[in-house]
Amino acid sequence: MEEKRRKSKVELFRRYLIFGISLLVIALGISIITRSDLGTSPITSVPYVASLNTPFSLGTYFFFFTIFLIILQVIMLGKKGVMERKVELLMQFPVAFVLSVFTDFGMWITAAWMPELYYVKIVSLVVGCLVLALGICLEVIADVTMISAEYTIQFATMRLKKDFGTIKICFDVSLVLLAALGSWLFSGQIDGVREGTIIAALITGPFVRMIMPRLLFLRGWLSGTQENNVQIISGDVENQPLVITISREYGSGGHKLGEMLAKELGIAFYDRELITIVAGESNFSEEFISKNEQRIPSSLLYQMIMQDYEAPLDKSLSADDALFVAQSRVIRRISSEGPCVIVGRCADYILKDRPNTVNVFLYADMPHKVKRAVAEYGIAEERAASVIADTDRSRKEHCLQYTGRQWGDSRNYNASFDTGVFSLEQIVAFLKNISDNKRN
């Protein structure tokens, strides 16, 4: 018990350390963007315009602007909501103060950086967005609290019952318009809001998506475990039902192998069945799940402005994040209810710490996958190769986004099979032998 408390304190210290660093990095990103002289980020546009026309600093106005956002949150939440969210509301005050101080510090240390050439300003802006994205990633990984702007958007989304992306766009556009109007009223011209403000709003999200998977190892450091371990054996293995997860390239026969193996072992099988179960336990329709699972939206505009990049996964209001969380919850539950075979859905990662789990990956060369896609999936032969490539690319991106792992990396699985070399019957026999040994 004492050791558990000690580890808990260490983890808490590490989380606050990472969160403190994230605020400093966010402030530096904001400062670099602002010094590019192409405008500033939408969230700081109003404070920045005010600082340009009065003696007070950007950090000072940023603090007061944050207080205004907190008051706005209180109004949206109402009395009952405030009582339920009082800790989150109170946490925003010290965060606002620290971030404001760091912002002024960032503006001070970047004071000498005044690029004159336009292309240098653009480079400076992009670098600032990268730094800002890094800070956001660290903030999300720390999972201590969020900055006030993110809370405001989330509370507005819940209060108005609108799509997160729509609220986010309206919030950012409103801030930019308010900043432009304020600048015109103060000085008769628009200063502090330029093309850089729009660019920052568009590219920061994709940068977060690019950086986040590469920092997921920090979660293992925070909790004192190794994220790269495929399986951490703990608890009573004998009381854990056997679970076999099958990850697969499209056309390698994963669904058919799962059916054959489950039938041979006399255990439950889950593939498309998961769609129905998740739909029954969430607000998602089967049509939405079937269309959006195991893929990342390909629309660049969607990736830029519609995703909830600044919230931890379990608190995100993005439909794609919520779907992954819902599927993860179902997968953990069914794995505890009885032995089963689960196909896809990053089940190998979701159950990575679970004992008595066998993780399998199937692959094959393109000719074999095309042959199976044509014969079993009914895909036209001239389209099969492109469909396979597109599907595998989506699965790879989805895996990297939500697990930080490289899809298909043999180190993440207990066994990998080339279904162009081994028949499904041979693989079933091999896995049945392993399963019988585990159950005995």
Side-chain angles (χ1 to χ4, degrees):
M1 182 63 71
E2 185 63 31
E3 178 66 15
K4 187 176 180 180
R5 281 198 294 266
R6 187 192 69 80
K7 287 184 177 180
S8 179
K9 289 180 180 179
V10 170
E11 179 178 349
L12 189 63
F13 171 78
R14 289 176 175 178
R15 287 190 180 279
Y16 275 96
L17 175 63
I18 293 295
F19 184 69
I21 293 173
S22 77
L23 295 181
L24 178 59
V25 176
I26 286 173
L28 287 174
I30 290 172
S31 301
I32 296 172
I33 291 172
T34 305
R35 293 299 186 191
S36 70
D37 195 31
L38 294 176
T40 187
S41 63
I43 186 59
T44 52
S45 58
V46 173
Y48 181 52
V49 166
S51 69
L52 290 176
N53 294 278
T54 65
F56 300 104
S57 67
L58 172 59
T60 301
Y61 278 114
F62 196 16
F63 177 76
F64 287 116
F65 178 67
T66 301
I67 301 302
F68 167 77
L69 292 180
I70 297 173
I71 294 172
L72 186 61
Q73 293 169 32
V74 171
I75 296 172
M76 288 189 293
L77 288 171
K79 185 176 180 180
K80 182 180 179 182
V82 168
M83 294 305 297
E84 293 174 348
R85 302 272 191 161
K86 60 182 178 182
V87 174
E88 292 165 297
L89 290 168
L90 291 173
M91 281 288 290
Q92 293 179 57
F93 286 97
V95 171
F97 176 76
V98 173
L99 185 56
S100 299
V101 171
F102 282 166
T103 299
D104 278 345
F105 174 72
M107 293 297 287
W108 176 70
I109 64 173
T110 58
W113 177 244
M114 293 180 290
E116 295 183 1
L117 297 175
Y118 188 77
Y119 80 89
V120 178
K121 293 182 179 182
I122 290 291
V123 171
S124 175
L125 174 68
V126 173
V127 170
C129 291
L130 273 168
V131 175
L132 176 59
L134 173 61
I136 292 172
C137 290
L138 293 174
E139 174 202 344
V140 171
I141 290 172
D143 197 11
V144 172
T145 185
M146 298 186 294
I147 62 175
S148 296
E150 181 67 18
Y151 274 122
T152 303
I153 297 172
Q154 288 219 348
F155 293 161
T157 300
M158 292 184 289
R159 176 65 183 269
L160 300 175
K161 294 181 171 50
K162 299 292 184 181
D163 180 72
F164 171 85
T166 302
I167 298 295
K168 184 175 184 294
I169 292 172
C170 292
F171 182 76
D172 287 348
V173 170
S174 297
L175 292 182
V176 173
L177 291 177
L178 185 60
L181 177 62
S183 178
W184 183 76
L185 291 175
F186 269 120
S187 61
Q189 59 184 11
I190 297 178
D191 292 319
V193 180
R194 288 185 54 184
E195 64 271 28
T197 303
I198 299 173
I199 294 172
L202 291 177
I203 69 174
T204 301
F207 281 163
V208 171
R209 177 185 165 188
M210 178 183 71
I211 297 171
M212 180 65 79
R214 292 158 178 80
L215 296 180
L216 291 182
F217 69 92
L218 287 174
R219 290 178 179 169
W221 178 74
L222 288 174
S223 60
T225 61
Q226 294 298 316
E227 280 286 323
N228 291 328
N229 286 353
V230 174
Q231 198 177 96
I232 301 174
I233 303 299
S234 61
D236 187 354
V237 176
E238 295 181 358
N239 291 333
Q240 293 285 344
L242 172 68
V243 174
I244 300 174
T245 73
I246 299 176
S247 303
R248 74 287 185 223
E249 292 182 348
Y250 189 75
S252 62
H255 178 84
K256 189 171 183 179
L257 176 73
E259 280 187 321
M260 293 168 59
L261 182 59
K263 183 177 180 180
E264 183 70 23
L265 297 175
I267 62 179
F269 172 68
Y270 297 100
D271 187 357
R272 300 186 186 97
E273 294 79 2
L274 284 170
I275 295 175
T276 301
I277 297 173
V278 172
E281 298 183 12
S282 68
N283 295 322
F284 298 113
S285 67
E286 291 189 29
E287 181 182 4
F288 176 87
I289 297 172
S290 179
K291 182 180 179 181
N292 292 277
E293 66 169 0
Q294 302 183 84
R295 63 182 293 272
I296 298 296
S298 58
S299 168
L300 182 59
L301 183 62
Y302 185 96
Q303 295 175 24
M304 285 179 170
I305 59 180
M306 299 295 280
Q307 289 288 76
D308 191 0
Y309 290 105
E310 299 178 34
L313 189 60
D314 59 340
K315 299 174 184 175
S316 172
L317 295 183
S318 162
D320 299 292
D321 294 346
L323 175 57
F324 181 79
V325 171
Q327 285 189 325
S328 301
R329 189 182 302 114
V330 168
I331 288 171
R332 291 191 186 96
R333 178 177 60 76
I334 63 176
S335 70
S336 67
E337 293 177 344
C340 60
V341 175
I342 303 174
V343 177
R345 284 84 182 177
C346 297
D348 59 294
Y349 175 81
I350 294 166
L351 303 177
K352 69 183 186 305
D353 296 336
R354 183 189 183 280
N356 213 21
T357 303
V358 178
N359 299 312
V360 177
F361 185 81
L362 304 183
Y363 64 97
D365 58 25
M366 186 60 77
H368 281 93
K369 290 191 290 186
V370 167
K371 183 179 179 180
R372 188 182 300 277
V374 172
E376 298 183 14
Y377 308 156
I379 299 175
E381 186 171 1
E382 61 272 15
R383 294 182 57 248
S386 63
V387 171
I388 290 169
D390 289 344
T391 304
D392 285 349
R393 181 168 54 252
S394 293
R395 290 174 178 175
K396 181 178 181 180
E397 292 175 352
H398 181 268
C399 179
L400 183 62
Q401 170 73 13
Y402 287 106
T403 74
R405 292 178 170 185
Q406 288 296 328
W407 182 70
D409 187 335
S410 61
R411 291 170 294 184
N412 297 327
Y413 311 96
N414 302 115
S416 298
F417 298 96
D418 184 344
T419 59
V421 175
F422 300 101
S423 69
L424 298 185
E425 290 77 12
Q426 289 175 317
I427 299 172
V428 167
F430 180 84
L431 293 175
K432 182 178 185 300
N433 183 53
I434 292 177
S435 303
D436 289 342
N437 289 335
K438 275 186 167 290
R439 291 195 289 187
N440 293 332

